[in-house]
mmCIF file of all heavy atoms in Angstrom:
data_model
loop_
_atom_site.group_PDB
_atom_site.id
_atom_site.type_symbol
_atom_site.label_atom_id
_atom_site.label_comp_id
_atom_site.label_asym_id
_atom_site.label_seq_id
_atom_site.Cartn_x
_atom_site.Cartn_y
_atom_site.Cartn_z
ATOM 1 N N ALA M 262 64.318 47.962 -47.174
ATOM 2 C CA ALA M 262 63.012 47.344 -46.915
ATOM 3 C C ALA M 262 62.004 47.650 -48.017
ATOM 4 O O ALA M 262 60.968 46.965 -48.115
ATOM 5 C CB ALA M 262 62.465 47.828 -45.570
ATOM 6 N N THR M 263 62.300 48.647 -48.847
ATOM 7 C CA THR M 263 61.321 49.050 -49.873
ATOM 8 C C THR M 263 61.866 48.914 -51.295
ATOM 9 O O THR M 263 61.208 49.329 -52.248
ATOM 10 C CB THR M 263 60.886 50.514 -49.645
ATOM 11 O OG1 THR M 263 62.042 51.379 -49.687
ATOM 12 C CG2 THR M 263 60.199 50.662 -48.294
ATOM 13 N N HIS M 264 63.087 48.345 -51.447
ATOM 14 C CA HIS M 264 63.671 48.169 -52.782
ATOM 15 C C HIS M 264 64.267 46.781 -52.894
ATOM 16 O O HIS M 264 64.633 46.152 -51.902
ATOM 17 C CB HIS M 264 64.757 49.227 -53.047
ATOM 18 C CG HIS M 264 64.218 50.615 -53.161
ATOM 19 N ND1 HIS M 264 63.825 51.357 -52.070
ATOM 20 C CD2 HIS M 264 64.008 51.401 -54.259
ATOM 21 C CE1 HIS M 264 63.388 52.547 -52.479
ATOM 22 N NE2 HIS M 264 63.487 52.597 -53.786
ATOM 23 N N GLU M 265 64.354 46.305 -54.127
ATOM 24 C CA GLU M 265 64.871 44.971 -54.379
ATOM 25 C C GLU M 265 65.768 44.982 -55.602
ATOM 26 O O GLU M 265 66.030 46.031 -56.188
ATOM 27 C CB GLU M 265 63.713 43.984 -54.584
ATOM 28 C CG GLU M 265 62.817 44.348 -55.752
ATOM 29 C CD GLU M 265 61.622 43.428 -55.886
ATOM 30 O OE1 GLU M 265 61.472 42.521 -55.052
ATOM 31 O OE2 GLU M 265 60.834 43.623 -56.838
ATOM 32 N N GLY M 266 66.262 43.804 -55.989
ATOM 33 C CA GLY M 266 67.155 43.695 -57.136
ATOM 34 C C GLY M 266 68.586 43.512 -56.683
ATOM 35 O O GLY M 266 68.922 43.579 -55.498
ATOM 36 N N SER M 267 69.470 43.289 -57.661
ATOM 37 C CA SER M 267 70.866 42.989 -57.353
ATOM 38 C C SER M 267 71.571 44.152 -56.664
ATOM 39 O O SER M 267 72.464 43.945 -55.843
ATOM 40 C CB SER M 267 71.617 42.619 -58.639
ATOM 41 O OG SER M 267 71.534 43.697 -59.580
ATOM 42 N N ILE M 268 71.177 45.372 -56.994
ATOM 43 C CA ILE M 268 71.789 46.540 -56.336
ATOM 44 C C ILE M 268 70.734 47.345 -55.571
ATOM 45 O O ILE M 268 70.949 48.513 -55.265
ATOM 46 C CB ILE M 268 72.507 47.440 -57.357
ATOM 47 C CG1 ILE M 268 71.541 47.904 -58.463
ATOM 48 C CG2 ILE M 268 73.720 46.747 -57.949
ATOM 49 C CD1 ILE M 268 72.161 48.913 -59.417
ATOM 50 N N ASN M 269 69.625 46.685 -55.280
ATOM 51 C CA ASN M 269 68.558 47.301 -54.481
ATOM 52 C C ASN M 269 68.133 48.657 -55.022
ATOM 53 O O ASN M 269 67.982 49.629 -54.287
ATOM 54 C CB ASN M 269 69.016 47.464 -53.025
ATOM 55 C CG ASN M 269 69.253 46.145 -52.346
ATOM 56 O OD1 ASN M 269 70.383 45.673 -52.275
ATOM 57 N ND2 ASN M 269 68.170 45.528 -51.859
ATOM 58 N N GLN M 270 67.883 48.722 -56.319
ATOM 59 C CA GLN M 270 67.448 49.976 -56.933
ATOM 60 C C GLN M 270 66.014 49.913 -57.450
ATOM 61 O O GLN M 270 65.469 50.936 -57.858
ATOM 62 C CB GLN M 270 68.387 50.352 -58.094
ATOM 63 C CG GLN M 270 69.689 50.987 -57.646
ATOM 64 C CD GLN M 270 69.456 52.292 -56.877
ATOM 65 O OE1 GLN M 270 69.727 52.374 -55.680
ATOM 66 N NE2 GLN M 270 68.942 53.305 -57.539
ATOM 67 N N THR M 271 65.400 48.747 -57.407
ATOM 68 C CA THR M 271 64.044 48.600 -57.946
ATOM 69 C C THR M 271 63.021 48.642 -56.819
ATOM 70 O O THR M 271 63.077 47.826 -55.895
ATOM 71 C CB THR M 271 63.906 47.256 -58.692
ATOM 72 O OG1 THR M 271 64.925 47.153 -59.695
ATOM 73 C CG2 THR M 271 62.534 47.150 -59.326
ATOM 74 N N PRO M 272 62.095 49.621 -56.869
ATOM 75 C CA PRO M 272 61.062 49.691 -55.823
ATOM 76 C C PRO M 272 60.218 48.412 -55.804
ATOM 77 O O PRO M 272 59.858 47.870 -56.846
ATOM 78 C CB PRO M 272 60.221 50.901 -56.227
ATOM 79 C CG PRO M 272 61.121 51.729 -57.085
ATOM 80 C CD PRO M 272 61.987 50.737 -57.829
ATOM 81 N N ILE M 273 59.923 47.933 -54.617
ATOM 82 C CA ILE M 273 59.071 46.748 -54.481
ATOM 83 C C ILE M 273 57.642 47.145 -54.858
ATOM 84 O O ILE M 273 57.113 48.128 -54.325
ATOM 85 C CB ILE M 273 59.117 46.212 -53.041
ATOM 86 C CG1 ILE M 273 60.543 45.760 -52.699
ATOM 87 C CG2 ILE M 273 58.141 45.053 -52.856
ATOM 88 C CD1 ILE M 273 60.711 45.315 -51.260
ATOM 89 N N PRO M 274 57.018 46.417 -55.783
ATOM 90 C CA PRO M 274 55.658 46.766 -56.209
ATOM 91 C C PRO M 274 54.697 46.835 -55.028
ATOM 92 O O PRO M 274 54.693 45.974 -54.146
ATOM 93 C CB PRO M 274 55.294 45.623 -57.162
ATOM 94 C CG PRO M 274 56.603 45.111 -57.662
ATOM 95 C CD PRO M 274 57.551 45.250 -56.523
ATOM 96 N N GLY M 275 53.878 47.886 -55.016
ATOM 97 C CA GLY M 275 52.867 48.037 -53.982
ATOM 98 C C GLY M 275 53.394 48.572 -52.665
ATOM 99 O O GLY M 275 52.624 48.707 -51.712
ATOM 100 N N VAL M 276 54.701 48.882 -52.610
ATOM 101 C CA VAL M 276 55.303 49.394 -51.381
ATOM 102 C C VAL M 276 55.784 50.832 -51.620
ATOM 103 O O VAL M 276 56.447 51.113 -52.609
ATOM 104 C CB VAL M 276 56.488 48.513 -50.916
ATOM 105 C CG1 VAL M 276 57.144 49.113 -49.674
ATOM 106 C CG2 VAL M 276 56.018 47.092 -50.653
ATOM 107 N N GLU M 277 55.416 51.707 -50.723
ATOM 108 C CA GLU M 277 55.837 53.109 -50.844
ATOM 109 C C GLU M 277 57.347 53.206 -50.633
ATOM 110 O O GLU M 277 57.874 52.790 -49.603
ATOM 111 C CB GLU M 277 55.123 53.969 -49.798
ATOM 112 C CG GLU M 277 55.427 55.444 -49.886
ATOM 113 C CD GLU M 277 54.793 56.109 -51.096
ATOM 114 O OE1 GLU M 277 53.812 55.541 -51.640
ATOM 115 O OE2 GLU M 277 55.264 57.191 -51.483
ATOM 116 N N PRO M 278 58.099 53.761 -51.619
ATOM 117 C CA PRO M 278 59.558 53.870 -51.478
ATOM 118 C C PRO M 278 59.948 54.723 -50.269
ATOM 119 O O PRO M 278 59.269 55.691 -49.927
ATOM 120 C CB PRO M 278 59.993 54.538 -52.790
ATOM 121 C CG PRO M 278 58.886 54.255 -53.746
ATOM 122 C CD PRO M 278 57.630 54.259 -52.918
ATOM 123 N N ASP M 279 61.040 54.339 -49.632
ATOM 124 C CA ASP M 279 61.535 55.072 -48.474
ATOM 125 C C ASP M 279 63.055 55.005 -48.494
ATOM 126 O O ASP M 279 63.651 54.179 -49.171
ATOM 127 C CB ASP M 279 60.982 54.455 -47.182
ATOM 128 C CG ASP M 279 61.047 55.439 -46.017
ATOM 129 O OD1 ASP M 279 61.566 56.562 -46.206
ATOM 130 O OD2 ASP M 279 60.585 55.082 -44.915
ATOM 131 N N GLY M 280 63.693 55.889 -47.765
ATOM 132 C CA GLY M 280 65.150 55.896 -47.745
ATOM 133 C C GLY M 280 65.679 57.162 -47.100
ATOM 134 O O GLY M 280 65.117 57.653 -46.114
ATOM 135 N N TYR M 281 66.734 57.700 -47.666
ATOM 136 C CA TYR M 281 67.345 58.932 -47.139
ATOM 137 C C TYR M 281 66.719 60.138 -47.832
ATOM 138 O O TYR M 281 66.613 60.179 -49.052
ATOM 139 C CB TYR M 281 68.852 58.913 -47.373
ATOM 140 C CG TYR M 281 69.572 60.106 -46.792
ATOM 141 C CD1 TYR M 281 70.126 60.053 -45.518
ATOM 142 C CD2 TYR M 281 69.699 61.295 -47.505
ATOM 143 C CE1 TYR M 281 70.781 61.150 -44.965
ATOM 144 C CE2 TYR M 281 70.358 62.387 -46.974
ATOM 145 C CZ TYR M 281 70.890 62.320 -45.706
ATOM 146 O OH TYR M 281 71.534 63.394 -45.178
ATOM 147 N N TYR M 282 66.326 61.139 -47.039
ATOM 148 C CA TYR M 282 65.731 62.352 -47.592
ATOM 149 C C TYR M 282 66.688 63.517 -47.351
ATOM 150 O O TYR M 282 66.958 63.900 -46.213
ATOM 151 C CB TYR M 282 64.384 62.651 -46.950
ATOM 152 C CG TYR M 282 63.307 61.635 -47.265
ATOM 153 C CD1 TYR M 282 63.143 60.497 -46.468
ATOM 154 C CD2 TYR M 282 62.464 61.800 -48.361
ATOM 155 C CE1 TYR M 282 62.166 59.556 -46.753
ATOM 156 C CE2 TYR M 282 61.477 60.865 -48.653
ATOM 157 C CZ TYR M 282 61.331 59.748 -47.845
ATOM 158 O OH TYR M 282 60.352 58.815 -48.131
ATOM 159 N N GLU M 283 67.216 64.057 -48.442
ATOM 160 C CA GLU M 283 68.105 65.209 -48.335
ATOM 161 C C GLU M 283 67.304 66.416 -47.866
ATOM 162 O O GLU M 283 66.268 66.744 -48.426
ATOM 163 C CB GLU M 283 68.752 65.508 -49.690
ATOM 164 C CG GLU M 283 69.855 66.538 -49.636
ATOM 165 C CD GLU M 283 71.128 65.983 -49.022
ATOM 166 O OE1 GLU M 283 71.727 65.050 -49.583
ATOM 167 O OE2 GLU M 283 71.517 66.511 -47.954
ATOM 168 N N GLU M 284 67.773 67.056 -46.814
ATOM 169 C CA GLU M 284 67.073 68.226 -46.290
ATOM 170 C C GLU M 284 67.269 69.411 -47.231
ATOM 171 O O GLU M 284 68.401 69.758 -47.579
ATOM 172 C CB GLU M 284 67.592 68.577 -44.902
ATOM 173 C CG GLU M 284 66.841 69.728 -44.253
ATOM 174 C CD GLU M 284 67.346 70.023 -42.850
ATOM 175 O OE1 GLU M 284 68.204 69.259 -42.360
ATOM 176 O OE2 GLU M 284 66.897 71.009 -42.266
ATOM 177 N N GLY M 285 66.174 70.023 -47.649
ATOM 178 C CA GLY M 285 66.239 71.160 -48.560
ATOM 179 C C GLY M 285 64.969 71.299 -49.351
ATOM 180 O O GLY M 285 63.936 70.691 -49.015
ATOM 181 N N VAL M 286 65.045 72.085 -50.424
ATOM 182 C CA VAL M 286 63.878 72.311 -51.283
ATOM 183 C C VAL M 286 64.245 71.975 -52.720
ATOM 184 O O VAL M 286 65.416 72.057 -53.115
ATOM 185 C CB VAL M 286 63.392 73.772 -51.194
ATOM 186 C CG1 VAL M 286 62.912 74.087 -49.784
ATOM 187 C CG2 VAL M 286 64.489 74.748 -51.611
ATOM 188 N N LYS M 287 63.233 71.596 -53.492
ATOM 189 C CA LYS M 287 63.461 71.231 -54.888
ATOM 190 C C LYS M 287 63.852 72.472 -55.695
ATOM 191 O O LYS M 287 63.253 73.535 -55.561
ATOM 192 C CB LYS M 287 62.195 70.607 -55.478
ATOM 193 C CG LYS M 287 61.811 69.277 -54.829
ATOM 194 C CD LYS M 287 60.545 68.714 -55.441
ATOM 195 C CE LYS M 287 60.167 67.391 -54.773
ATOM 196 N NZ LYS M 287 58.904 66.837 -55.318
ATOM 197 N N GLU M 288 64.876 72.306 -56.512
ATOM 198 C CA GLU M 288 65.358 73.426 -57.321
ATOM 199 C C GLU M 288 64.306 73.882 -58.319
ATOM 200 O O GLU M 288 64.218 75.053 -58.664
ATOM 201 C CB GLU M 288 66.637 73.017 -58.059
ATOM 202 C CG GLU M 288 67.297 74.158 -58.816
ATOM 203 C CD GLU M 288 68.549 73.718 -59.540
ATOM 204 O OE1 GLU M 288 68.632 72.520 -59.901
ATOM 205 O OE2 GLU M 288 69.438 74.556 -59.748
ATOM 206 N N SER M 289 63.448 72.951 -58.757
ATOM 207 C CA SER M 289 62.476 73.262 -59.806
ATOM 208 C C SER M 289 61.324 74.142 -59.329
ATOM 209 O O SER M 289 60.876 75.038 -60.040
ATOM 210 C CB SER M 289 61.907 71.964 -60.380
ATOM 211 O OG SER M 289 61.289 71.192 -59.362
ATOM 212 N N ASN M 290 60.828 73.901 -58.098
ATOM 213 C CA ASN M 290 59.640 74.641 -57.654
ATOM 214 C C ASN M 290 59.706 75.164 -56.224
ATOM 215 O O ASN M 290 58.758 75.780 -55.743
ATOM 216 C CB ASN M 290 58.389 73.768 -57.821
ATOM 217 C CG ASN M 290 58.506 72.442 -57.086
ATOM 218 O OD1 ASN M 290 59.317 72.288 -56.169
ATOM 219 N ND2 ASN M 290 57.710 71.460 -57.503
ATOM 220 N N GLY M 291 60.786 74.903 -55.503
ATOM 221 C CA GLY M 291 60.919 75.412 -54.144
ATOM 222 C C GLY M 291 60.156 74.638 -53.093
ATOM 223 O O GLY M 291 60.143 75.028 -51.912
ATOM 224 N N ALA M 292 59.514 73.526 -53.474
ATOM 225 C CA ALA M 292 58.764 72.713 -52.510
ATOM 226 C C ALA M 292 59.743 71.886 -51.670
ATOM 227 O O ALA M 292 60.822 71.528 -52.136
ATOM 228 C CB ALA M 292 57.795 71.798 -53.241
ATOM 229 N N PRO M 293 59.359 71.568 -50.425
ATOM 230 C CA PRO M 293 60.229 70.718 -49.593
ATOM 231 C C PRO M 293 60.535 69.403 -50.282
ATOM 232 O O PRO M 293 59.661 68.796 -50.904
ATOM 233 C CB PRO M 293 59.405 70.518 -48.321
ATOM 234 C CG PRO M 293 58.495 71.701 -48.268
ATOM 235 C CD PRO M 293 58.153 72.013 -49.694
ATOM 236 N N ASN M 294 61.771 68.949 -50.164
ATOM 237 C CA ASN M 294 62.172 67.713 -50.821
ATOM 238 C C ASN M 294 61.491 66.511 -50.185
ATOM 239 O O ASN M 294 61.473 66.366 -48.960
ATOM 240 C CB ASN M 294 63.693 67.537 -50.728
ATOM 241 C CG ASN M 294 64.150 66.228 -51.326
ATOM 242 O OD1 ASN M 294 63.787 65.887 -52.444
ATOM 243 N ND2 ASN M 294 64.937 65.482 -50.558
ATOM 244 N N ASP M 295 60.909 65.636 -51.024
ATOM 245 C CA ASP M 295 60.241 64.426 -50.534
ATOM 246 C C ASP M 295 60.644 63.205 -51.353
ATOM 247 O O ASP M 295 59.895 62.235 -51.438
ATOM 248 C CB ASP M 295 58.720 64.605 -50.567
ATOM 249 C CG ASP M 295 58.199 64.935 -51.973
ATOM 250 O OD1 ASP M 295 59.029 65.058 -52.910
ATOM 251 O OD2 ASP M 295 56.978 65.074 -52.131
#
Side-chain angles (χ1 to χ4, degrees):
T263 58
H264 292 76
E265 60 184 1
S267 58
I268 57 174
N269 295 97
Q270 281 299 113
T271 305
I273 297 176
V276 177
E277 183 71 21
D279 200 357
Y281 183 93
Y282 293 88
E283 189 74 63
E284 184 178 354
V286 296
K287 295 179 181 178
E288 186 180 27
S289 58
N290 56 20
N294 177 50
D295 58 358

